[in-house]
Amino acid sequence: FPSHDIEFIYKKKYKQFYAGDLKTEKLNEEKERMGKLEAAVKEFEHYQQLMHERRRYDFDDMINWVIKAFQENKNLLAQYQEQFQYVLVDEYQDTSGTQNKLVELLINYWDDPNIFVVGDDDQSIFRFQGANVENMPSFKKKYPDIKTILLQDNYRSTQSILDSAKSLIDRNNERLIHHIEGLDKNLVAANTSIQSNLQKPVIHAYRTPREEMIGITTAIDHLIQKGVEPRQIAVIYRENLYGEELADFLKNKNIPYYSKRSINLLSNTLVKKIIRSEE
């Protein structure tokens, strides 16, 4: 197997598999994903045709149209280059190829452009929609004299949380500290108001979501019995549905709770009945 396919091969003995055996299930998942991607590519022209017929456009269209207009009309590009002589790009690690191309067109008039980009490769989460963290080292390579400012003081977390997060993220070989000399991302807790909190993060593993919710509810109950006020206890979760299910466990234990979330009124049963009655 080529070196980039090593993820589909067992590196050491695991259950009934031996080092060098093929990860059939993982390979099939990748084949299914690539099959869906191939089908989407073949359907793209039809999608564009339908969009055109319905006089609709999406976010990518807006960016591509501007790029095309700039490339075909140099006077139009010059107008915006003169208008926007200072450019700041936030969340640069999440910029896609087309977004980055748009920025390049706006600043390519100058050999030494007034460009300021802010990004954190450890927060790159939009690769699924075309974001490419490689834009960051490419930018550094294209403008080698650009000044790099590292923000290492953290005011949000305690040092124990920062150290635990670092022990995990250090395993990511794509981090820019492994590819750009001189980068140091050892964060330091700088919020003096929370320095006294020396408690370290603890990992609890559960076999099912139900067991996890029981474990969380039990832990909260024990804290309250020890005298901890409920308002000092927070549970952070990814999806609203999880919070709704967890709320049922808290109710059964008579534990007071407050849930803050966005609600779509149109999905409310009562609102649906009102809409149907008016129709």
Side-chain angles (χ1 to χ4, degrees):
F1 276 77
S3 58
H4 61 273
D5 289 334
I6 196 68
E7 62 179 300
F8 300 110
I9 300 175
Y10 286 99
K11 298 179 182 178
K12 57 183 180 180
K13 190 178 185 310
Y14 175 72
K15 295 183 178 179
Q16 72 271 28
F17 303 102
Y18 293 89
D21 284 353
L22 186 65
K23 296 181 179 178
T24 307
E25 184 176 348
K26 188 174 181 64
L27 182 61
N28 289 337
E29 289 178 357
E30 183 67 13
K31 286 181 177 179
E32 182 180 359
R33 189 181 71 84
M34 294 303 295
K36 292 179 179 178
L37 178 61
E38 183 180 6
V41 170
K42 291 180 179 179
E43 189 64 19
F44 184 71
E45 288 188 10
H46 182 219
Y47 164 76
Q48 292 288 77
Q49 180 184 344
L50 291 175
M51 293 280 283
H52 179 73
E53 292 174 355
R54 290 164 173 76
R55 300 180 64 83
R56 298 179 182 275
Y57 57 89
D58 57 25
F59 182 68
D60 289 330
D61 288 331
M62 290 190 289
I63 298 176
N64 286 321
W65 288 344
V66 174
I67 291 175
K68 184 178 180 182
F70 280 171
Q71 291 175 331
E72 295 179 351
N73 190 332
K74 301 303 179 184
N75 290 332
L76 177 67
L77 175 60
Q79 174 186 333
Y80 282 96
Q81 286 176 332
E82 184 175 357
Q83 181 177 351
F84 302 113
Q85 296 187 20
Y86 293 85
V87 179
L88 185 153
V89 184
D90 196 12
E91 304 292 357
Y92 193 66
Q93 77 280 352
D94 290 327
T95 54
S96 64
T98 52
Q99 291 170 330
N100 205 40
K101 179 65 176 178
L102 187 57
V103 173
E104 288 181 359
L105 286 169
L106 286 172
I107 66 176
N108 67 7
Y109 177 81
W110 296 273
D111 293 330
D112 189 18
N114 298 311
I115 176 75
F116 186 98
V117 301
V118 182
D120 182 0
D121 56 309
D122 291 336
Q123 296 186 47
S124 182
I125 60 174
F126 289 104
R127 183 170 293 183
F128 69 92
Q129 66 178 32
N132 187 359
V133 73
E134 288 298 321
N135 285 336
M136 298 180 73
S138 296
F139 184 84
K140 176 72 173 176
K141 184 177 181 180
K142 187 169 185 177
Y143 302 102
D145 295 330
I146 195 169
K147 183 177 180 180
T148 301
I149 302 173
L150 289 172
L151 303 179
Q152 294 175 287
D153 289 339
N154 182 288
Y155 295 89
R156 179 180 296 176
S157 304
T158 61
Q159 192 62 48
S160 58
I161 291 178
L162 296 176
D163 293 342
S164 297
K166 182 179 183 301
S167 67
L168 179 63
I169 198 65
D170 272 347
R171 299 172 183 267
N172 182 5
N173 292 325
E174 295 184 9
R175 298 185 75 203
L176 294 186
I177 61 171
H178 301 306
H179 304 281
I180 298 180
E181 186 177 354
L183 283 186
D184 179 10
K185 295 183 67 176
N186 292 317
L187 302 184
V188 177
N191 188 345
T192 56
S193 65
I194 59 175
Q195 290 293 353
S196 59
N197 187 346
L198 303 178
Q199 185 171 346
K200 295 182 178 180
V202 179
I203 297 176
H204 294 283
Y206 301 93
R207 292 178 296 181
T208 66
R210 176 181 171 81
E211 286 189 6
E212 181 180 50
M213 292 181 190
I214 293 174
I216 292 174
T217 303
T218 302
I220 293 175
D221 189 39
H222 288 167
L223 287 173
I224 294 176
Q225 290 182 21
K226 290 181 179 179
V228 177
E229 295 184 21
R231 65 185 179 87
Q232 293 182 314
I233 304 171
V235 179
I236 303 173
Y237 45 85
R238 187 176 64 176
E239 299 174 342
N240 287 337
L241 181 61
Y242 186 96
E244 293 171 3
E245 294 180 6
L246 179 61
D248 291 334
F249 286 86
L250 297 175
K251 288 178 183 178
N252 290 334
K253 275 285 189 178
N254 294 319
I255 298 175
Y257 68 91
Y258 168 75
S259 176
K260 184 178 181 180
R261 64 185 187 277
S262 299
I263 299 177
N264 181 4
L265 289 177
L266 296 178
S267 64
N268 183 276
T269 304
L270 178 59
V271 175
K272 286 182 178 178
K273 288 182 179 180
I274 294 175
I275 294 175
R276 283 197 295 267
S277 64
E278 291 181 349
E279 293 175 349

